[in-house]
């Protein structure tokens, strides 16, 4: 099975994040950047499928030059190759434009299965898999917490607020995963060394036949008009329990009219 | 006045979801409200009317209900092309975002997700980066397609007498590629939906094991709230994943958030920072959760929580 895993580089969610003062895009230059956590689960799932059924796993990333760090890190887990779409004109791309670029890149990769995270930790838009399925005209099994592959048939379990759904489709398909699906492996030393030699192909917008003004800030379908830091919450009363902590808690709830 | 389409979210058990009432409330400030029901509308129309729907479009049948989401996006896109609405509002839920994403591609139109407010000119307010930053954004191509985060506004009734229109569903083969073979309801009792609850009681690793989560549930039930959990609690198997609050779980914004045995890591705060009132119980006086708690008790939750439960019972 030919699998492509979408990997996005994002600013570390454990650190302070901000929007750029000049154009209100996500500040990526100064941030400590990591692989979007959910995408590691997609990589793991791809490797497990390859181990069971054979095939090839390719990483696909759209992002600035420095996203190569994340691509190498992804490759060190075990995938075979990577494609990096990078172009100055992509800076500031909205989700709609990003999906256009990724769909065009996927068009050159002939994937049976596209695996990706359910959402990215920077924008938390949670729309890319759906947009790609829509553009490619293939099935989408989104938000999977379990995936089984039987020949060309995919079956996924999908968490809902009421319980879960069992959904099925045939390849080619896009499957997005939550972090409940597996436990991603750590790259081994051998994996890290091997990753340095794995092929990473770079694609520009011209290679994909997309004009610069269809993407980036120029082609954005939405814009951030203004942004402001929220004033941090301040700490209120803190009491040490000396035997009546529970009662005091309820007294507080009562003054706030919760009981 | 142009129509504003509100894509209704409802559940078999609870009927029209609260987020739908919030969307109807917002929609009234943007135009004439038209609710779009995908599925059976009979049990929903009264509520939609009460909250100001002037029109209800209903799309039902196997073609939309047996397949995953794609047909719903087609139905909404067809409606948009036909009625040329001023805006489309959807819920910021898994399904709402999926419809929105597909709709944006179909119409080559911008979209905004997780809005907490929408101004009359379509400008949306979003809270991003773990609740640390507020942005105002606008769709610059096409009409505003905006998903609304639950618990953003207080639903206000505004009774209307809607006309109901059955829309014909014409979905192509491309929309029928992902089939739903089974829907399994998992027991969750009578507690309110996590993202919509006005009170959320969450437990963390400090709760110690799955059995002890009964304490968290008991307090939640006494307060009429929902139960949440930190990722450490979920990863340790104390509580199911759909109740996880935070960066990789649900975002909640209740009136009251009670954190029991939760340290308050930045990724947890990402999902609860915008709660109106925060109360924390933690035995570590230095736990970061206290930095944002309006009321904090330093101590052992196994003593404090049962005592609090007892006190609430006494007051009832
Ligand atoms: C990319 C990424 C995404 C993440 N997403 C999420 C997310 O969505 N949600 C989330 O919650 N976390 C998330 N995390 C994990 C997060 O960083 C923390 O590890 C997690 O929130 C810790 O959970 P906790 O507070 O329950 O556990 P701990 O940090 O272990 O805290 C337990 C607390 O309980 C207290 N305690 C122990 N016993 C008692 C007692 N008897 N009485 C009172 N207090 C007691 C301790 O003092 C301690 O403060 C994410 C991490 C990453 C890297
Ligand atoms: N620029 C990108 N490059 C590669 N994959 C991406 C990119 N943006 C989004 N994705 C994928 O789409 C998933 C959902 O992202 P989002 O819709 O942005 O929340 C992510 O987990 C990635 O797998």
């Amino acid at each position: 099975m030919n699998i492509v895993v979408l990997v996005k580089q994002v600013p570390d969610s454990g650190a302070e994040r901000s929007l750029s003062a000049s154009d209100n895009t996500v500040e990526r230059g100064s941030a400590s950047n990591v692989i979007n956590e959910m995408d590691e689960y997609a990589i793991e799932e791809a490797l497990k499928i390859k181990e069971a059924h054979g095939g090839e796993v390719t990483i696909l990333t759209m992002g600035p030059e420095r996203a190569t760090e994340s691509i190498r890190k992804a490759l060190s887990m075990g995938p075979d190759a990577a494609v990096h779409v990078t172009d100055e004109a992509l800076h500031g791309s909205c989700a709609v434009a990003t999906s256009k670029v990724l769909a065009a890149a996927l068009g050159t990769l002939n994937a049976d299965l596209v695996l990706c995270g359910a959402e990215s930790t920077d924008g938390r838009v949670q729309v890319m898999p759906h947009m790609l399925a829509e553009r490619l005209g293939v099935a989408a099994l989104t938000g999977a917490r379990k995936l089984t592959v039987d020949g060309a048939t995919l079956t996924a379990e999908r968490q809902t607020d009421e319980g879960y759904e069992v959904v099925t489709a045939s390849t080619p398909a896009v499957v997005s995963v939550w972090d409940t699906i597996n436990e991603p492996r750590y790259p081994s030393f051998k994996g890290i060394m091997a990753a340095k030699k794995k092929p990473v192909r770079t694609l520009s917008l011209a290679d994909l036949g997309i004009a610069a003004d269809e993407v980036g800030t120029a082609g954005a379908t939405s814009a951030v008009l203004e942004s402001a830091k929220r004033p941090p919450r301040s700490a209120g009363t803190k009491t040490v329990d000396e035997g009546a902590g529970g009662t005091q808690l309820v007294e507080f709830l009562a003054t706030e009219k919760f009981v | 006045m142009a129509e504003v389409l509100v894509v209704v979210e409802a559940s078999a058990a609870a009927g029209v979801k609260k987020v739908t009432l919030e969307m109807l409330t917002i929609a009234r400030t943007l135009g004439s409200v038209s609710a779009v029901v995908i599925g059976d509308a009979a049990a929903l129309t009264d509520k939609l009317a009460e909250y100001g729907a002037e029109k209800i479009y209903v799309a039902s049948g196997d073609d939309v209900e047996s397949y995953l989401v794609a047909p719903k996006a087609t139905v909404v896109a067809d409606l948009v092309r036909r009625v040329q609405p001023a805006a489309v509002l959807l819920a910021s839920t898994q399904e709402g975002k999926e419809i929105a994403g597909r709709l944006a591609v179909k119409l080559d139109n911008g979209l905004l997700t997780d809005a907490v407010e929408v101004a009359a000119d379509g400008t949306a307010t979003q809270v991003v980066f773990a609740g640390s930053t507020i942005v105002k954004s606008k769709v610059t191509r096409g009409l505003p397609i905006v998903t609304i985060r639950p618990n953003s506004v207080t639903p206000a009734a505004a009774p209307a007498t809607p006309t109901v229109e059955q829309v014909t569903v014409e979905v192509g083969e491309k929309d029928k590629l992902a089939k739903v073979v089974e829907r399994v309801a998992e027991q969750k009792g009578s507690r309110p939906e996590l993202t919509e609850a006005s009170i959320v009681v969450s437990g963390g690793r400090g709760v110690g094991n799955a059995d002890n989560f009964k304490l968290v549930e008991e307090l939640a039930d006494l307060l009429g709230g929902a139960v949440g959990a930190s990722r450490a609690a979920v990863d340790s198997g104390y509580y199911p994943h759909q109740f996880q609050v935070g960066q990789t779980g649900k975002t909640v914004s209740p009136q009251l958030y009670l954190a029991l045995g939760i340290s308050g890591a930045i990724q947890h705060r990402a999902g609860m920072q915008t709660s109106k009132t925060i109360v924390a119980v933690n035995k570590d006086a230095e736990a970061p959760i206290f930095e944002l708690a309006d009321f904090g008790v330093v101590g052992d939750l196994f003593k404090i929580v049962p005592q609090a439960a007892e006190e609430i019972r006494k007051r009832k």
Side-chain angles (χ1 to χ4, degrees):
Chain A
M1 185 164 287
N2 187 9
I3 307 174
V4 174
V5 186
L6 302 181
V7 171
K8 183 181 187 184
Q9 188 183 51
V10 296
D12 188 351
S13 64
E16 179 90 8
R17 291 171 293 172
S18 54
L19 293 174
S20 144
S22 57
D23 63 359
N24 276 325
T25 57
V26 176
E27 184 59 69
R28 302 182 192 275
S30 61
S32 73
N33 294 307
V34 296
I35 294 181
N36 180 43
E37 202 216 16
M38 219 80 88
D39 301 349
E40 294 183 15
Y41 296 79
I43 299 171
E44 176 65 34
E45 201 58 24
L47 295 173
K48 279 168 56 180
I49 295 170
K50 178 183 162 173
E51 282 155 13
H53 305 276
E56 190 155 323
V57 178
T58 306
I59 300 294
L60 171 59
T61 295
M62 170 186 128
E65 179 121 19
R66 58 177 306 180
T68 42
E69 302 154 23
S70 296
I71 292 173
R72 291 290 170 199
K73 172 125 195 280
L75 288 174
S76 70
M77 288 173 72
D80 303 287
V83 173
H84 184 184
V85 184
T86 186
D87 200 302
E88 288 297 327
L90 286 168
H91 175 81
S93 292
C94 65
V96 177
T98 301
S99 71
K100 185 183 276 185
V101 174
L102 289 174
L106 284 168
T108 70
L109 291 173
N110 197 23
D112 302 304
L113 174 61
V114 177
L115 275 165
C116 67
E119 77 174 19
S120 50
T121 54
D122 55 351
R124 302 197 68 180
V125 242
Q126 212 184 108
V127 292
M128 203 48 61
H130 324 307
M131 287 184 157
L132 291 174
E134 183 69 38
R135 284 192 190 276
L136 299 168
V138 302
L141 302 180
T142 48
R145 67 175 193 188
K146 188 175 167 199
L147 178 65
T148 42
V149 177
D150 181 5
T153 306
L154 306 171
T155 305
E157 243 178 61
R158 178 183 202 250
Q159 185 87 59
T160 64
D161 287 335
E162 281 80 33
Y164 67 93
E165 291 170 339
V166 181
V167 289
T168 169
S170 301
T171 57
V174 176
V175 177
S176 72
V177 306
W178 283 112
D179 51 357
T180 32
I181 195 162
N182 56 41
E183 201 43 66
R185 64 197 68 186
Y186 283 106
S188 64
F189 179 70
K190 212 173 120 215
I192 295 168
M193 297 314 288
K196 297 193 167 127
K197 298 194 206 74
K198 287 179 178 168
V200 178
R201 191 153 56 94
T202 328
L203 292 177
S204 67
L205 281 174
D207 293 332
L208 294 173
I210 295 174
D213 63 1
E214 294 175 60
V215 298
T217 334
T221 59
S222 60
V224 175
L225 308 175
E226 53 183 275
S227 77
K229 287 271 174 202
R230 271 176 94 235
R233 291 188 81 105
S234 49
T237 319
K238 184 162 86 177
T239 65
V240 177
D241 178 34
E242 278 160 356
T247 316
Q248 284 169 296
L249 192 156
V250 176
E251 274 159 15
F252 173 80
L253 295 183
T255 53
E256 300 284 317
K257 308 253 182 308
F258 290 118
V259 285
Chain B
M1 217 178 3
E3 291 178 46
V4 175
L5 299 185
V6 171
V7 180
V8 171
E9 284 233 2
S11 73
V16 178
K17 286 192 181 177
K18 189 167 138 209
V19 66
T20 301
L21 306 182
E22 295 181 48
M23 292 194 284
L24 294 170
T25 305
I26 295 172
R28 293 204 298 267
T29 65
L30 306 174
S32 159
V33 182
S34 298
V36 182
V37 177
I38 302 171
D40 188 7
L44 312 176
T45 44
D46 286 354
K47 200 78 174 181
L48 298 174
E50 185 186 342
Y51 284 81
E54 307 276 353
K55 210 177 218 174
I56 301 175
Y57 295 104
V58 184
S60 49
D62 265 4
D63 273 3
V64 281
E65 289 162 66
S66 317
Y67 302 92
L68 209 55
V69 194
K72 300 186 178 174
T74 295
V75 166
V76 179
D78 286 347
L79 264 177
V80 169
R81 291 194 191 98
R82 175 150 71 89
V83 310
Q84 302 286 322
V88 181
L89 303 184
L90 306 103
S92 260
T93 54
Q94 182 163 280
E95 179 163 305
K97 285 180 168 185
E98 175 147 6
I99 298 174
R102 287 179 177 271
L103 196 57
V105 166
K106 283 180 196 289
L107 304 171
D108 193 23
N109 193 108
L111 91 163
L112 299 168
T113 53
D114 281 315
V116 294
E117 205 182 302
V118 185
D121 71 347
T123 304
T125 306
Q126 298 157 296
V127 185
V128 302
F129 296 152
S132 68
T133 306
I134 298 183
V135 303
K136 287 197 193 297
S137 324
K138 222 174 159 170
V139 167
T140 51
R141 190 190 304 160
L143 74 163
I145 298 176
V146 186
T147 75
I148 306 293
R149 183 190 275 184
N151 269 353
S152 294
V153 300
T154 311
T161 319
T163 51
V164 179
E165 183 190 321
Q166 197 76 35
V167 300
T168 36
V169 177
E170 282 173 45
V171 303
E173 291 308 309
K174 286 264 187 263
D175 287 334
K176 298 188 192 172
L177 297 172
K179 192 163 176 44
V180 180
V181 285
E182 198 182 355
R183 287 198 170 92
V184 183
E186 282 171 331
Q187 260 301 337
K188 65 164 191 177
S190 55
R191 287 187 199 107
E193 164 73 40
L194 180 55
T195 55
E196 305 203 325
S198 50
I199 295 182
V200 174
V201 184
S202 286
R205 202 201 309 269
V207 173
N209 59 43
D211 203 36
N212 290 343
F213 247 81
K214 286 203 192 90
L215 277 178
V216 182
E217 290 183 330
E218 185 191 13
L219 194 57
D221 290 341
L222 282 165
L223 292 166
V227 175
S230 74
R231 181 174 179 172
V234 169
D235 283 352
S236 311
Y238 303 172
Y239 220 65
H241 178 256
Q242 69 259 43
F243 299 102
Q244 182 178 313
V245 171
Q247 176 82 62
T248 45
K250 298 270 163 64
T251 301
V252 300
S253 197
Q255 296 295 319
L256 171 66
Y257 188 85
L258 244 151
L260 308 173
I262 292 176
S263 61
I266 191 163
Q267 293 90 354
H268 186 77
R269 289 151 73 147
M272 45 70 76
Q273 186 119 268
T274 56
S275 305
K276 298 281 178 317
T277 300
I278 296 173
V279 172
V281 176
N282 196 304
K283 67 180 179 192
D284 174 10
E286 303 302 317
I289 191 77
F290 288 124
E291 289 162 21
L292 58 159
D294 300 286
F295 190 80
V297 186
V298 181
D300 185 355
L301 73 91
F302 295 106
K303 297 203 177 98
I304 295 162
V305 175
Q307 188 181 66
E310 193 46 49
E311 179 66 22
I312 297 172
R313 261 186 230 106
K314 250 193 265 169
R315 286 171 185 247
K316 277 196 164 173

